Amino acid sequence: ARICRAHDVLITFGTEVDLILDGGPTAGGEPSTIVNTVGTLRIVRQGAFSRRRIAACLAGSGFTLEE
């Protein structure tokens, strides 16, 4: 099943997720990108935001995304 809304994330992952940022349904129905922020930062599931875009945002705050 496609997970395109914050509520879908909550139902699917429950307490496995510490924080859900709800920006509304994903544009075009493409699922959200999921990033693990515990320990080493890494992409768990590629979605609407590219790896390059996420890495650039993190770099601006002094963080790096695992290869």
Side-chain angles (χ1 to χ4, degrees):
R2 294 178 64 93
I3 300 172
C4 299
R5 298 176 305 140
H7 181 2
D8 300 332
V9 173
L10 181 61
I11 296 301
T12 303
F13 295 103
T15 60
E16 294 179 56
V17 176
D18 293 324
L19 175 67
I20 300 170
L21 300 176
D22 187 355
T26 57
E30 187 173 359
S32 297
T33 301
I34 299 175
V35 179
N36 178 15
T37 60
V38 177
T40 303
L41 299 173
R42 64 183 176 82
I43 293 178
V44 176
R45 182 185 72 196
Q46 186 65 54
F49 288 119
S50 70
R51 183 188 195 300
R52 190 172 96 198
R53 184 173 179 186
I54 292 170
C57 289
L58 290 171
S61 297
F63 296 99
T64 57
L65 189 59
E66 182 180 81
E67 290 294 326

